[in-house]
Amino acid sequence: MHQHLLQRVAAGEPSAIEECIDRYGGLVWSLARKLVGAHADAEDAVQVVFIDLWKSAARFDPNVASETTFVALIARRRLIDYKRRRLRQQDQVQSLPIDDVDVVSREQRSDAGELVEEASRAAAAIRELRPEQQEILRLSVYDGWSHQRIADHLQVPLGTVKTHVRRGLIHLRNLLKGGSTKLVDQEARS
Amino acid sequence: MIEPSRGDERLIQLLADKATEGLSLSQQNELDHLLAVHPEVGPEELELAAAAATLAMIDVSIQRLPSRTRVELLSNATRFFSMNGRAPARPNVQTRWNDQDYS
């Protein structure tokens, strides 16, 4: 029976651990550079993410999400925590543009197939959102901006930003889950 | 279909905040309490949505992991799995890429 990489990691299979680092290292590193910023901080953060991945590997359920999405979830969670801690420590995080460093083309990625499929499904869901929702979701989810910063930047109330983020995520979640149970935004119904 | 009552909006907002900004300890405690009241709502559902959105947005800009970071990851993995009583990884310290981006 086919075993997913994370299931092999959970079993402590030596080759799976190295394979996992090689398959997802670039993704985690890219997210760390985007969300945490400075090179040294990103290096620390990547170590934190992978330790949590080793701990969480046994929780991976292919019926709930793909492996790539699960890794991205763990990475985002740890990177957000890391960034919050750093912000408390230094009250400021420097953000570097992502396109000033070595970029691996889609064809070079060993996991290109899964990433592309995942990305295209999510991208299709995002395209269904209104343009202002797309922008706010991008600033929040991808650029890692705080809701307050987005509100200040776009000169809209904080509550509006929170509503767009919430509705955008619910919309994505419902589309990605297909015909299963749906979350409903209370305000959207009224 | 999961339709939270108006009072449960707070649960959805906390899930969205967790997925995007993270939560303070008191907010996390509040979320844990609300999730216990609403077992029908998955604790990671909006985090999964945020992760999928990230994959869509990052699609064309995956960077290489620096070789030194990779070596350190393998070393830490060896320690982690040894300490947890599972088979340790055997680090292959040979760099896969001759990237010069870590100097």
Side-chain angles (χ1 to χ4, degrees), chain A:
Chain A
M1 185 177 149
H2 169 70
Q3 253 200 325
H4 287 269
L5 180 55
L6 286 177
Q7 292 168 332
R8 290 165 51 214
V9 166
E13 189 182 311
S15 64
I17 292 153
E18 186 169 354
E19 200 179 324
C20 189
I21 290 170
D22 288 339
R23 183 179 299 179
Y24 296 115
L27 173 64
V28 173
W29 173 250
S30 301
L31 291 175
R33 289 285 279 160
K34 188 68 185 170
L35 295 177
V36 173
H39 202 292
D41 282 343
E43 280 193 317
D44 283 348
V46 165
Q47 302 298 329
V48 172
V49 169
F50 271 94
I51 290 294
D52 196 28
L53 196 56
W54 307 144
K55 289 178 185 171
S56 307
R59 281 200 308 112
F60 168 67
D61 180 354
N63 297 313
V64 172
S66 75
E67 206 167 67
T68 309
T69 303
F70 182 81
V71 171
L73 181 153
I74 297 291
R76 285 185 50 82
R77 183 184 289 168
R78 290 282 74 87
L79 292 170
I80 288 171
D81 286 348
Y82 188 93
K83 185 176 178 179
R84 285 173 67 91
R85 273 203 309 276
R86 293 294 287 165
L87 276 171
R88 280 201 299 272
Q89 286 168 0
Q90 56 186 252
D91 207 32
Q92 186 180 355
V93 166
Q94 202 176 6
S95 182
L96 293 179
I98 198 164
D99 53 357
D100 67 345
V101 288
D102 192 15
V103 172
V104 181
S105 74
R106 195 175 296 187
E107 291 72 24
Q108 287 173 278
R109 286 150 43 181
S110 59
D111 55 333
E114 191 188 359
L115 265 182
V116 169
E117 189 208 328
E118 292 255 332
S120 60
R121 283 177 63 208
I126 290 169
R127 278 196 297 273
E128 292 190 10
L129 298 173
R130 295 203 307 273
E132 66 270 24
Q133 273 186 315
Q134 289 186 31
E135 182 181 13
I136 287 175
L137 201 61
R138 180 179 183 86
L139 290 172
S140 176
V141 168
Y142 183 59
D143 292 324
W145 286 22
S146 70
H147 297 167
Q148 186 62 60
R149 184 179 174 192
I150 296 169
D152 293 343
H153 176 71
L154 298 177
Q155 297 186 310
V156 296
L158 177 61
T160 302
V161 172
K162 284 186 173 291
T163 298
H164 280 317
V165 168
R166 186 180 67 242
R167 287 181 185 170
L169 290 178
I170 289 172
H171 178 73
L172 266 176
R173 180 269 185 201
N174 287 342
L175 285 179
L176 291 170
K177 289 200 84 168
S180 62
T181 57
K182 284 184 164 48
L183 279 175
V184 174
D185 188 85
Q186 182 71 39
E187 289 175 29
R189 287 193 304 161
S190 53

Side-chain angles (χ1 to χ4, degrees), chain B residues 28-98:
Chain B
Q28 183 62 54
N29 289 337
E30 184 184 359
L31 176 60
D32 291 342
H33 170 74
L34 290 170
L35 285 169
V37 176
H38 296 280
E40 75 279 10
V41 177
E44 294 183 335
E45 293 194 0
L46 295 191
E47 282 186 283
L48 283 170
T54 302
L55 292 176
M57 295 167 183
I58 204 170
D59 189 42
V60 293
S61 51
I62 295 284
Q63 302 168 38
R64 285 180 177 148
L65 182 69
S67 55
R68 198 178 85 169
T69 305
R70 179 179 181 274
V71 169
E72 201 175 336
L73 281 172
L74 284 167
S75 171
N76 284 338
T78 303
R79 257 200 311 279
F80 174 83
F81 284 96
S82 298
M83 286 170 61
N84 286 276
R86 285 180 273 178
R90 281 171 299 183
N92 172 12
V93 295
Q94 185 180 12
T95 58
R96 184 144 305 190
W97 303 291
N98 293 320

